[in-house]
Amino acid sequence: MKIGILTSGGDCPGLNAVIRGAVLKGIAIHGHEFVGFLDGWRGVVEGDIIDIPRTMVRGIAKQGGTILGTSRTNPFENGGGPEVIKAHMERLGIDAIIAIGGEGTLAAAKRLTDAGLKIVGVPKTVDNDLDATDYTFGFDTAVQIATEAIDRLRTTGESHHRCMIAEVMGRHVGWIALHAGMAAGAHAILIPEQKVSIEQITEWVNEAHARGRAPLVVVAEGFVPEHMETPHSERGLDTFGRPRLGGIADQLAPELEARTGIETRATILGHIQRGGVPSAFDRVLATRLGMAAIDSVVEGYWGTMVALKGTDIEHVGFQEALGKLKTVPQNRYDEAAVLFG
């Protein structure tokens, strides 16, 4: 078979390890041929491909980003659609597609599969918000990067007796904030799943300061304070119609400083969480998922994605993966809340 691979949506550490795992197993075990669609769905819509021989994936598991490039192109817009993509696949002799991406990518893959295309998915998101898999690759690395950055903020906060607010990614879930906040010893962790008042945050900050500590607050970009109804978003919508989040830390900092009298600084970590080399955990998980995606192709499990359940890789339908977000449960937040203040 001739298989096309694409990486779509936001980049994250581990994408190249998926490509390597799929190509090595596909060639060594099944004798498949591989091509890569350049820049995500754009390459699929335009039929823009490159060959991926075995030599091309040599040593790429440790590289961040993606050798194929990525974009947030919607395959149903700008001259796309199932018929256009089918025509390109027939012209190029491509039998199936492995789509590596997050919620938007997999939602598009489901629509195209429903239209008759042969597609399997590999879940990718630093947010760890896909319900059908225990972990997504990229998340562990993002937490590691965020934790290191927050550790650095703590030392400068202590030197100046400041309150430091670190904003991390996560969209509408708080997994990165929860893990990085617990690891870094935050005095408050603010996540989208929990409505918290400014008064409560102020109390936690004051409690830490009264003990002689420099208060440290970790906030997820999608956090909605009690007095707000929707997440802070001032950058419009992405190509899939979702709000671009970010900036809540800048909103909280002056408010907390006014209420506590403590000099307060906000730092938005942003895309630094998605860059650089993947952690060992993410390299292994991504490689296993890439190899499992080949099994999906061989078995004809179209319309499914590979997912980590416990320590095993399973095949689940796109519908199950896209049914709902995997949010932080109450008991996990309650564990962390013991450490607040």
Side-chain angles (χ1 to χ4, degrees), residues 205-218:
V205 168
N206 280 330
E207 286 177 4
H209 188 255
R211 298 198 318 273
R213 304 301 304 278
L216 173 62
V217 178
V218 176

Side-chain angles (χ1 to χ4, degrees), residues 185-324:
H187 300 110
I189 299 173
L190 311 176
I191 62 176
E193 294 88 342
Q194 297 286 331
K195 283 274 191 178
V196 180
S197 67
I198 294 295
E199 290 76 17
Q200 177 62 79
I201 303 169
T202 301
E203 182 179 330
W204 285 329
V205 168
N206 280 330
E207 286 177 4
H209 188 255
R211 298 198 318 273
R213 304 301 304 278
L216 173 62
V217 178
V218 176
V219 58
E221 62 183 357
F223 170 65
V224 183
E226 208 170 64
H227 67 280
M228 292 173 56
E229 294 185 1
T230 57
H232 180 72
S233 174
E234 57 187 13
R235 296 180 294 154
L237 305 177
D238 65 18
T239 53
F240 292 99
R242 302 172 303 182
R244 293 188 173 97
L245 305 181
I248 185 62
D250 287 331
Q251 301 295 307
L252 291 174
E255 182 73 23
L256 286 177
E257 182 167 328
R259 288 172 176 265
T260 64
I262 304 168
E263 188 178 1
T264 303
R265 294 287 185 270
T267 300
I268 300 174
L269 300 185
H271 289 81
I272 192 172
Q273 296 160 89
R274 292 217 292 239
V277 300
S279 66
F281 180 91
D282 280 340
R283 295 184 204 189
V284 173
L285 175 58
T287 300
R288 293 184 67 202
L289 290 173
M291 296 172 74
I294 292 301
D295 297 335
S296 297
V297 171
V298 171
E299 298 296 331
Y301 293 149
W302 314 123
T304 69
M305 76 169 200
V306 289
L308 180 69
K309 297 293 184 72
T311 58
D312 297 325
I313 305 293
E314 299 182 2
H315 308 269
V316 300
F318 284 148
Q319 189 59 49
E320 181 182 348
L322 300 168
K324 63 177 182 178

Side-chain angles (χ1 to χ4, degrees), residues 135-191:
Y135 282 97
T136 48
F137 69 88
F139 171 68
D140 184 73
T141 305
V143 169
Q144 222 170 272
I145 292 168
T147 301
E148 180 181 345
I150 295 166
D151 285 344
R152 294 175 183 274
L153 289 177
R154 177 187 288 280
T155 61
T156 188
E158 289 173 345
S159 298
H160 292 271
H161 312 293
R162 290 172 175 157
C163 172
M164 307 299 285
I165 304 176
E167 180 181 314
V168 299
M169 286 181 167
R171 291 198 58 75
H172 299 294
V173 303
W175 288 109
I176 295 177
L178 183 78
H179 281 235
M182 288 186 72
H187 300 110
I189 299 173
L190 311 176
I191 62 176

Side-chain angles (χ1 to χ4, degrees), residues 35-226:
V35 296
F37 292 102
L38 296 179
D39 301 331
W41 291 116
R42 182 199 67 77
V44 180
V45 170
E46 298 178 9
D48 189 7
I49 65 170
I50 58 170
D51 290 329
I52 309 180
R54 180 168 185 155
T55 54
M56 187 175 179
V57 301
R58 184 183 299 154
I60 67 170
K62 62 181 178 295
Q63 295 179 17
T66 164
I67 61 171
L68 298 178
T70 187
S71 69
R72 296 190 182 278
T73 301
N74 187 328
F76 292 89
E77 297 178 353
N78 301 318
E83 297 308 318
V84 171
I85 295 172
K86 282 180 184 177
H88 283 310
M89 290 178 67
E90 291 175 2
R91 175 178 61 83
L92 297 168
I94 298 172
D95 301 294
I97 293 175
I98 296 175
I100 310 168
E103 181 188 12
T105 301
L106 297 179
K110 181 187 183 303
R111 287 182 62 188
L112 291 171
T113 302
D114 292 343
L117 276 72
K118 296 179 178 180
I119 304 176
V120 299
V122 178
K124 175 277 322 171
T125 169
V126 296
D127 305 327
N128 199 40
D129 61 356
L130 287 174
D131 190 55
T133 184
D134 289 348
Y135 282 97
T136 48
F137 69 88
F139 171 68
D140 184 73
T141 305
V143 169
Q144 222 170 272
I145 292 168
T147 301
E148 180 181 345
I150 295 166
D151 285 344
R152 294 175 183 274
L153 289 177
R154 177 187 288 280
T155 61
T156 188
E158 289 173 345
S159 298
H160 292 271
H161 312 293
R162 290 172 175 157
C163 172
M164 307 299 285
I165 304 176
E167 180 181 314
V168 299
M169 286 181 167
R171 291 198 58 75
H172 299 294
V173 303
W175 288 109
I176 295 177
L178 183 78
H179 281 235
M182 288 186 72
H187 300 110
I189 299 173
L190 311 176
I191 62 176
E193 294 88 342
Q194 297 286 331
K195 283 274 191 178
V196 180
S197 67
I198 294 295
E199 290 76 17
Q200 177 62 79
I201 303 169
T202 301
E203 182 179 330
W204 285 329
V205 168
N206 280 330
E207 286 177 4
H209 188 255
R211 298 198 318 273
R213 304 301 304 278
L216 173 62
V217 178
V218 176
V219 58
E221 62 183 357
F223 170 65
V224 183
E226 208 170 64

